[in-house]
Amino acid sequence: DINNLSYAMMINEAIQNVMLPSLEGLIKTIQNLAHEYAEIPMMSRTHGQSATPTTVGKELANFVFRVNRQIDEIKSIKLLGKFNGAV
């Protein structure tokens, strides 16, 4: 039975050809927006209350950082499989 190998290959193809390119395109778009809105002030919030003022650009840059961290996690996943079947 090689189903588990084929699933690993399908998931790897989806990650490499769909997920990562889409996420990287999203990151580039948000990075451009972060630069564009770097000077726009906004009120930040913590625990549902107003907090120290920030900028839209900084918040977008934080989002980019977090998504990049998740991309690195996705890239580090090792998809394994084994051949098995009747003995």
Side-chain angles (χ1 to χ4, degrees):
D1 186 20
I2 61 166
N3 283 339
N4 58 2
L5 290 175
S6 61
Y7 285 125
M9 292 175 69
M10 287 188 297
I11 291 169
N12 187 52
E13 285 287 317
I15 289 171
Q16 298 302 319
N17 297 323
V18 179
M19 286 180 64
L20 291 178
S22 295
L23 287 170
E24 288 165 358
L26 176 68
I27 290 300
K28 287 178 185 174
T29 300
I30 296 174
Q31 281 176 330
N32 291 336
L33 290 171
H35 288 290
E36 183 178 341
Y37 296 120
E39 303 294 322
I40 305 296
M42 68 176 271
M43 182 63 73
S44 62
R45 300 185 67 81
T46 183
H47 305 290
Q49 299 179 3
S50 297
T52 307
T54 186
T55 66
V56 175
K58 177 183 168 273
E59 295 304 314
L60 289 171
N62 283 337
F63 183 77
V64 166
F65 177 80
R66 290 177 180 155
V67 173
N68 275 326
R69 201 168 51 194
Q70 295 304 309
I71 289 171
D72 291 341
E73 287 292 320
I74 291 169
K75 287 179 178 178
S76 73
I77 294 171
K78 296 200 184 333
L79 298 170
L80 305 174
K82 67 177 186 169
F83 286 106
N84 59 0
V87 178

